[in-house]
């Protein structure tokens, strides 16, 4: 019972409905886009018809707004990969592997695996797909099997009451061997203090005169 002739077929992927939205926005001078959609896709397996809940993510255009302080930077694969990592962290899931793939949809991309199941794909859409959609800029697309994602969670997320006290920041200057990676400092810090330490980052590195390697 389709609403129109254009809606007479069930979709097997969320890719093309998302590209329609991107094309619509680009034609109206909105080229910096980060979009998501929850929805269902359909497939036939043997004699059964399958309905699956999916989460689709799209990124295209520039990462930042244009200002005189910094140059525009185009969205890259690592931006959408970072978004996926945030989604996984929020629902309490850590993928087992990110496996490189190339196919007719992606010029390059990855399959994401957990518990020996492919829970999603992500990558840079191929030129022939974008040409069909009349889009002339790079688009990055990810599609996650939301049902498998929820089933594969390794832990439940705990929500805590917001602290009554303001955060306290400490800037520490550490002298260490230049071959020690930041990940090692990060690991040791959180092994030592797990309750009140929330985040660590590197904001400056000095190498030079009067300092041994």
């Amino acid at each position: 019972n389709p609403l129109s002739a254009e809606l007479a077929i069930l979709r097997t992927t969320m890719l093309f409905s998302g590209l329609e939205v991107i094309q619509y926005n680009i034609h109206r001078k909105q080229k910096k886009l980060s979009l998501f959609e929850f929805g269902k896709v359909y497939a036939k397996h043997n004699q059964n018809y399958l309905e699956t809940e999916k989460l689709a993510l799209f990124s295209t255009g520039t990462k930042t707004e244009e200002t005189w302080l910094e140059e525009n930077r185009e969205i890259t694969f690592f931006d959408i990969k970072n978004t996926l990592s945030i989604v996984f962290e929020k629902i309490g899931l850590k993928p087992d592997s990110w496996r490189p793939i190339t196919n007719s949809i992606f010029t390059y991309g990855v399959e994401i695996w957990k518990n020996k199941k492919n829970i999603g794909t992500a990558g840079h859409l191929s030129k022939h797909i974008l040409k069909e959609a009349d889009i002339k800029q790079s688009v990055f697309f990810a599609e996650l099997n939301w049902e498998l994602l929820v089933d594969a969670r390794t832990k439940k997320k705990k929500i805590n009451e917001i602290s009554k006290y303001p955060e306290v920041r400490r800037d520490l200057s550490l002298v260490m061997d230049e071959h020690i990676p930041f990940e090692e400092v990060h690991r040791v810090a959180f092994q030592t203090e797990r309750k009140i330490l929330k985040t660590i980052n590197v904001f400056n590195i000095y190498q030079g005169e009067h300092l041994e390697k």
Side-chain angles (χ1 to χ4, degrees):
N1 185 27
L3 298 176
S4 71
E6 295 175 343
L7 300 175
I9 299 173
L10 297 175
R11 60 183 176 179
T12 59
T13 174
M14 298 175 72
L15 171 60
F16 299 103
S17 52
L19 289 179
E20 285 183 5
V21 176
I22 290 175
Q23 181 212 67
Y24 181 91
N25 279 272
I26 290 176
H27 287 179
R28 285 153 183 81
K29 309 300 182 183
Q30 301 299 318
K31 297 183 177 183
K32 178 178 177 290
L33 302 167
S34 294
L35 311 172
F36 76 93
E37 180 187 2
F38 282 100
K40 292 180 172 64
V41 299
Y42 302 86
K44 187 176 182 180
H45 181 67
N46 296 326
Q47 297 302 313
N48 298 318
Y49 292 92
L50 306 178
E51 179 183 79
T52 308
E53 190 83 24
K54 293 289 187 82
L55 168 62
L57 304 172
F58 297 85
S59 289
T60 185
T62 57
K63 177 67 174 175
T64 56
E65 296 291 349
E66 186 176 5
T67 72
W68 65 275
L69 289 172
E70 58 182 342
E71 294 182 5
N72 276 348
R73 178 175 73 78
E74 293 289 326
I75 290 285
T76 70
F77 171 75
F78 296 102
D79 291 310
I80 198 165
K81 186 174 184 290
N82 182 60
T83 300
L84 289 170
S85 296
I86 293 171
V87 171
F88 296 147
E89 193 277 330
K90 291 292 184 183
I91 68 173
L93 180 145
K94 186 176 182 181
D96 294 330
S97 62
W98 303 68
R99 304 178 186 177
I101 57 167
T102 53
N103 53 32
S104 61
I105 296 176
F106 298 128
T107 54
Y108 56 86
V110 293
E111 289 180 340
I112 307 160
W113 287 77
K114 180 68 179 180
N115 299 334
K116 298 182 180 180
K117 294 181 179 179
N118 180 358
I119 60 174
T121 57
H124 178 259
L125 291 176
S126 63
K127 289 183 178 179
H128 80 90
I129 292 285
L130 296 177
K131 185 178 180 181
E132 288 291 326
D134 190 27
I135 296 173
K136 297 180 176 62
Q137 62 188 55
S138 292
V139 178
F140 295 89
F141 167 65
E143 188 173 62
L144 303 176
N145 186 319
W146 189 251
E147 296 168 6
L148 290 180
L149 222 65
V150 172
D151 290 342
R153 286 182 298 175
T154 54
K155 59 182 179 180
K156 292 183 178 180
K157 293 295 291 183
K158 183 179 179 181
I159 307 300
N160 297 318
E161 183 181 357
I162 296 175
S163 174
K164 299 176 183 177
Y165 308 103
E167 67 177 13
V168 178
R169 172 175 167 162
R170 292 287 182 266
D171 296 344
L172 303 180
S173 296
L174 307 177
V175 181
M176 61 181 63
D177 190 288
E178 68 175 359
H179 298 297
I180 297 177
F182 168 69
E183 286 77 8
E184 182 67 15
V185 180
H186 189 279
R187 182 183 65 80
V188 171
F190 278 99
Q191 276 185 345
T192 307
E193 172 51 62
R194 298 182 180 180
K195 291 184 178 180
I196 63 173
L197 186 60
K198 298 300 181 185
T199 184
I200 304 171
N201 74 298
V202 179
F203 64 90
N204 195 14
I205 297 176
Y206 174 77
Q207 293 174 305
E209 194 176 358
H210 307 305
L211 194 63
E212 295 181 13
K213 292 187 176 182

